Amino acid sequence: MIPYGRQSISEDDIKAVVDVLRGDYLTTGPAVGAFEAALAESVGARHAIACSNGTAALHLASLAIGLEPGDQVIVPSISFVATANGPRLVGAEIVFADVDPDSALLTPAALEDAISRADPQRLKAVFVVHMGGNPAPMAEISAIARARGLKVIEDACHALGTEAEDGRPWRVGDCAFSDCAVFSFHPVKTITTGEGGAITTNDDGLARRMRLERNHGLEREREGFGNEALAFDTDGATNPWYYELTRLGLNYRLTDFQAALGTTQLSRLPDFLRRRRALTARYREAFARLNDDSLSLVPAPASSDPALHLMVALVDFDRLGISRAKFMNRLRDKGVGTQVHYIPIHRQPYYVKASPTPELPGADRYYARCLSLPLYPDMTEADVDKVVEAVRAVAQG
């Protein structure tokens, strides 16, 4: 069976984890800082804050930008539910935006429409998803948001390594057009730490707040202490055991052995990106030869060099006269695993009640046709050919 996604683990990855397991620190040790420094350098941001998973990263970002109960944020409806859940966990109301029906990306027009449905006094932020690894039009989105004083958060969980040009070259995670960018390191993502996530930012204040929030809200820096009688020795030195609870925080820490895996995975990132781009090119060439209007691949935005996490086919199941479930089952019988990314979040029962939303035709149109095909670095060209041949055979009945 060819799965839709899979981690790639090398002997160097294994050795890095074992070295930490044999060392002194399994958590709150030096490996986390090393991983954060490597990630920040890789994407071109000033700070990287590692945490336990991508959902935690979205929650931390929501806390750091100061979202409070009753605030509103805009979230595109096509994403994993965590994109909405992060701000919702701090009490924000979600205003769902439509997306382009072929790329599932938030567009400037869809953002303007969502803004028109929001309360201008309560609207605080826009969460932008780089769906599948394709970059959203960040320069235009950022300009619209900044003109209204809105914070911009990139959900970049699919897009490590993606580059684009919007008036200037930029890289997902460098925060050229945003306040911060959020990553996931789940096993099917571009690199993995098993579970894990991170936020990148160029804002010193946001970075400091996120580091506090991920570790219970505990202040350990001298300049942040408020109780001098408890904090300092008679000579004015800081008591070595001392900390202060400055705000209610969470335990969202990443372990050192996860961070060690992340660092070696980052060292392999250039190879991962080359492989994903080569496999993407193979898929595009093979689909072009099918010459079937019922079958296509999600297009890449102009002036972009995406590092795709998902290889999404757009399939006209109605035209083919077959349900998506039957299509997927027949592919599985041929040894090809697939998945659907994603059910529109505004259609989820929780959000139907919490955030009633008008029709979003782009999101519904995309969802009706999307099917994620296998894509991961250890695939071969022969695997791609097998997948495309299986798709052709099932489509032709």
Side-chain angles (χ1 to χ4, degrees), residues 335-385:
V336 175
T338 56
Q339 188 53 273
V340 175
H341 297 92
Y342 296 97
I343 301 168
I345 310 174
H346 78 283
R347 299 291 187 189
Q348 294 289 352
Y350 174 84
Y351 284 109
V352 169
K353 295 178 182 178
S355 302
T357 301
E359 293 298 308
L360 300 179
D364 288 338
R365 176 65 177 152
Y366 178 84
Y367 170 63
R369 297 176 295 150
C370 67
L371 185 66
S372 296
L373 304 177
L375 181 66
Y376 52 93
D378 291 344
M379 282 183 70
T380 66
E381 281 73 11
D383 289 333
V384 173
D385 296 343

Side-chain angles (χ1 to χ4, degrees), residues 164-175:
E165 184 163 341
D166 282 331
R168 50 148 286 186
W170 62 282
R171 189 183 319 165
V172 168
D174 69 8
C175 302

Side-chain angles (χ1 to χ4, degrees), residues 24 65 85 98 113 143 145 153 156-158 230 266 291 324 376:
D24 294 328
I65 65 172
N85 291 353
D98 206 358
D113 172 71
I153 310 299
C157 292
H158 292 184
L230 292 180
L266 272 174
N291 196 28
R324 177 160 46 193
Y376 52 93

Side-chain angles (χ1 to χ4, degrees), residues 3 12 23 30 42 77 87 99 109 167 170 195 223 241 246 259 294 341 349 373 376 380 382 396:
D12 285 343
S42 176
S77 187
V99 297
W170 62 282
E195 286 280 3
E223 60 270 20
W241 66 86
T246 58
S294 301
H341 297 92
L373 304 177
Y376 52 93
T380 66
Q396 293 183 358

Side-chain angles (χ1 to χ4, degrees), residues 74-78 96-100 103-112 114 126-131 135-138 141:
I74 291 171
V75 174
S77 187
I78 295 295
F96 286 107
D98 206 358
V99 297
D100 180 274
S103 70
L105 294 173
L106 180 66
T107 65
L111 175 57
E112 294 278 16
V126 179
F127 283 65
V128 186
V129 178
H130 299 303
M131 180 62 194
M138 287 304 301
I141 287 172

Side-chain angles (χ1 to χ4, degrees), residues 84-387:
N85 291 353
R88 183 63 180 158
L89 284 168
V90 303
E93 296 178 11
I94 311 301
V95 179
F96 286 107
D98 206 358
V99 297
D100 180 274
D102 292 330
S103 70
L105 294 173
L106 180 66
T107 65
L111 175 57
E112 294 278 16
D113 172 71
I115 289 172
S116 75
R117 292 186 274 110
D119 180 343
Q121 300 304 313
R122 295 193 292 142
L123 185 61
K124 303 298 183 183
V126 179
F127 283 65
V128 186
V129 178
H130 299 303
M131 180 62 194
N134 282 318
M138 287 304 301
E140 293 176 272
I141 287 172
S142 181
I144 293 168
R146 298 306 192 204
R148 292 166 173 82
L150 305 178
K151 298 290 187 181
V152 179
I153 310 299
E154 296 175 77
D155 184 334
C157 292
H158 292 184
L160 182 63
T162 286
E163 299 180 357
E165 184 163 341
D166 282 331
R168 50 148 286 186
W170 62 282
R171 189 183 319 165
V172 168
D174 69 8
C175 302
F177 301 106
S178 67
D179 294 280
C180 54
V182 170
F183 293 93
S184 167
F185 307 123
H186 182 275
V188 297
K189 297 302 198 302
T190 306
I191 69 166
T192 187
T193 59
E195 286 280 3
I199 313 100
T200 59
T201 184
N202 296 320
D203 186 308
D204 296 346
L206 286 179
R208 175 172 165 75
R209 285 195 290 275
M210 286 185 280
R211 290 191 173 102
L212 280 173
E213 294 284 2
R214 74 169 173 189
N215 190 30
H216 304 282
L218 298 180
E219 175 63 75
R220 294 180 181 274
E221 298 298 326
R222 180 187 181 96
E223 60 270 20
F225 293 155
N227 191 328
E228 295 187 6
L230 292 180
F232 305 115
D233 198 358
T234 54
D235 62 359
T238 301
N239 288 321
W241 66 86
Y242 191 71
Y243 57 84
E244 289 185 357
L245 180 66
T246 58
R247 56 196 297 161
L248 285 179
L250 300 141
N251 182 355
Y252 277 164
R253 297 189 299 257
L254 190 73
T255 66
D256 275 55
F257 49 88
Q258 288 175 294
L261 174 58
T263 301
T264 57
Q265 287 268 299
L266 272 174
S267 73
R268 301 174 64 201
L269 181 61
D271 290 335
F272 287 159
L273 299 180
R274 280 192 291 271
R275 192 68 194 138
R276 284 181 177 271
R277 288 179 171 121
L279 293 168
T280 297
R282 183 83 169 200
Y283 265 115
R284 295 201 182 283
E285 292 166 3
F287 262 77
R289 290 194 297 270
L290 292 177
N291 196 28
D292 186 336
D293 292 340
S294 301
L295 303 169
S296 62
L297 296 174
V298 166
S303 302
S304 70
D305 188 15
L308 292 185
H309 156 54
L310 298 175
M311 177 54 59
V312 180
L314 300 176
V315 183
D316 192 335
F317 298 104
D318 291 338
R319 184 172 177 179
L320 293 175
I322 183 173
S323 71
R324 177 160 46 193
K326 287 185 173 64
F327 199 96
M328 294 173 72
N329 288 337
R330 291 177 187 177
L331 285 176
R332 187 182 61 218
D333 291 342
K334 294 179 179 294
V336 175
T338 56
Q339 188 53 273
V340 175
H341 297 92
Y342 296 97
I343 301 168
I345 310 174
H346 78 283
R347 299 291 187 189
Q348 294 289 352
Y350 174 84
Y351 284 109
V352 169
K353 295 178 182 178
S355 302
T357 301
E359 293 298 308
L360 300 179
D364 288 338
R365 176 65 177 152
Y366 178 84
Y367 170 63
R369 297 176 295 150
C370 67
L371 185 66
S372 296
L373 304 177
L375 181 66
Y376 52 93
D378 291 344
M379 282 183 70
T380 66
E381 281 73 11
D383 289 333
V384 173
D385 296 343
K386 177 181 177 179
V387 171

